[in-house]
Amino acid sequence: MKVACVGGGPAGLYLSILLKLRDPSHDITVHERNAEGTTYGWGVTYWRGLLDQLRAHDLETARAVEASSVRWNEGVAHVRDLMTRRPGDEGHGIGRHRLLEILAERARSLGVRLEFGSTISPDDLPGADLVVAGDGVHSALRTRHADHFGTRIDSGRNRYLWLGTSKAFDAFTFAFVETDHGWIWCYGYGFGPDAGTCVVECAPETWTGLGLDRAPEADGLALLEKLFAGILDGHPLIGRPSADGSAPWLTFRTVTNRTWHRGNVVLIGDAAHTTHYSIGAGTTLALEDAIALAGALHERPALPEALAHYERERRAALLSLQSAARHSALWYENLPRYIDLPPQQMFALLGQRHSPCCPTYRPSCTTGSTGRPGSWRRCAASSAGSGRRSRARCRAGRPAGSRALREQPVQGGVPEHPVGVEPLRHPGGPPPPLLPQEASAAETVDHGPKPGAPRQQPLARRADSLAWVKDSQDAAAEGPAPRSRTANDRLTPWTSV
């Protein structure tokens, strides 16, 4: 088979590797419009599950990726002048430049042609049996036939900025800083012995109030270094200036498509779908797309059948993550709703932000009916539970599987608001309706699969699964938690910094 991959990102490169490993006779060319070694971004994150998949499909690539990665197994949260640290799942960080270097070297060694500085026009596609559109969120190949693909692009409300730093974070770090113009926060993680990534985010009012919308890059970075001095420990922030010298602040674009293929052209990675960066899944999903497409092409010799199977498989796998990403983004867009809670409750909701219940109920729903502090218990919903066990936990700290929540009338896949509990108001109006594929995910995540329905894949375990749910003293008095407590189930007390 002759294959042309348009875009030299992780998805296109890894697909070329897998196809060559399965059949060395494949004629594969990867076209990348940028020069070799030129890439955007800093570090990318992934979790143990991806590493296991890489080992299963190409051990040599997996070993190289693991050897070039840093690891962490704790989460740290800073709110005002308080800080807490707690154990979490093992996460990995690797520089995007190094990841692409590993994949390119491996592809070349297998006989894949890599053509850098090669721009492919949608009106002049290379002659090939299969054209793989892996040209990213702004995909030209997808845009040319957007009506056929049914492309939908939704922009988020908040502004964000990707930055590098020489600070090598030893844990996945959240920092929330209050300013005269509102809250601004960042996520920090390491990807090398002397390198880290900082993703800074804030509401548009804060962005303009601080002057970040008009500040030259150097002035903007100086202000951010001052605001986040508590976690940077004197290390500088490193930007990537735009053509006019300003910092490239963005709004996140959520991309979905009604179909992923047209004739012999198929979408992969960000060209097919995006999920909000706050769940740290972009690179993992791109590589999983490549694995699924390579498998479908190998198992089904007829191209239309193979592409249809690939699309069905990946759509099903993405449902829960797309729903989680949507709710996570909405949680951050409504941060003031949660930030004044007691710190430990706020940290609990930070980990539980992908729950569909967070945008529906008051934050006080995580406190017991007495309003007094209670015990902390691991939340199965954020720990990769599936089916009925993975329902969101809310309402007075009781499991969402409890009778009180189950018996509530359901409207549109979300429980009706209990008496006296106000729903979250989305900025500028009510929350947008669920996308068709998310409606199915919400139905599964919120209430469990219907009898006879296929079981959906569980939410992936990620570093943001640092979720704890507050049990009321009344609930605690009913008896011990079903799972015994361990040393890893302790939340480090908040301390002043």
Side-chain angles (χ1 to χ4, degrees), residues 67 73 101 103 172 201 258 296 342 344 415 430 453 488:
N73 54 21
E101 187 178 64
L103 296 176
F172 200 98
E201 182 180 345
R258 185 178 59 249
Q344 289 180 325
N488 286 335

Side-chain angles (χ1 to χ4, degrees), residues 3-5 8 29 74 164 218 227 264 272 307 354 377 441 492:
V3 180
C5 296
T29 303
E74 291 182 310
L227 291 173
N264 69 332
L307 298 185
H354 51 62
R377 180 157 57 85
T492 305

Side-chain angles (χ1 to χ4, degrees), residues 126-213:
D129 301 310
L130 175 65
V131 177
V132 180
D135 49 345
V137 63
H138 302 290
S139 171
L141 273 63
R142 182 199 65 221
T143 302
R144 176 66 177 79
H145 300 286
D147 289 342
H148 171 84
F149 289 116
T151 303
R152 173 174 171 174
I153 301 176
D154 297 298
S155 295
R157 182 174 184 269
N158 285 355
R159 293 281 178 166
Y160 74 97
L161 178 65
W162 285 91
L163 297 171
T165 178
S166 56
K167 168 67 181 289
F169 296 96
D170 64 352
F172 200 98
T173 302
F174 300 89
F176 299 86
V177 176
E178 189 175 21
T179 75
D180 292 338
H181 303 282
W183 288 87
I184 186 169
W185 56 95
C186 78
Y187 327 88
Y189 54 89
F191 65 87
D194 56 357
T197 296
C198 279
V199 184
V200 181
E201 182 180 345
C202 63
E205 300 83 6
T206 305
W207 180 61
T208 56
L210 292 173
L212 293 169
D213 59 325

Side-chain angles (χ1 to χ4, degrees), residues 15 25 46 85 119 125 128 137 169 187 212 234 269 292 295 298 312 484:
L15 174 65
S25 69
Y46 66 94
R85 177 185 293 258
T119 301
L125 297 179
V137 63
F169 296 96
Y187 327 88
L212 293 169
H298 179 73
R312 286 194 302 270
S484 61

Side-chain angles (χ1 to χ4, degrees), residues 35 54 67 77 121-122 138 162 165 199 255 267 315 318 326 411 442 456 470 475:
L54 297 182
S121 167
H138 302 290
W162 285 91
T165 178
V199 184
V255 175
L267 306 179
R315 278 186 180 280
L318 281 166
R326 183 178 178 87
Q411 296 182 349
Q456 299 291 344
K470 192 126 175 76

Side-chain angles (χ1 to χ4, degrees), residues 42 161-163 215-218 221 238-249:
W42 303 97
L161 178 65
W162 285 91
L163 297 171
E217 186 206 18
L221 291 182
I238 307 167
R240 186 176 64 91
S242 58
D244 61 1
S246 63
W249 288 84

Side-chain angles (χ1 to χ4, degrees), residues 393-469:
R393 307 295 177 101
C394 58
R395 198 183 184 199
R398 298 173 65 182
S402 66
R403 177 177 299 176
L405 184 59
R406 280 203 310 270
E407 292 179 352
Q408 293 183 68
V410 174
Q411 296 182 349
V414 178
E416 206 172 54
H417 313 302
V419 176
V421 178
E422 298 177 0
L424 171 66
R425 301 303 178 189
H426 191 273
L434 290 178
L435 301 179
Q437 59 267 37
E438 292 177 333
S440 299
E443 180 178 315
T444 301
V445 174
D446 291 358
H447 310 290
K450 295 180 179 179
R455 185 187 185 95
Q456 299 291 344
Q457 292 200 6
L459 292 175
R461 293 183 64 115
R462 312 220 175 264
D464 58 78
S465 298
L466 303 175
W468 292 66
V469 175

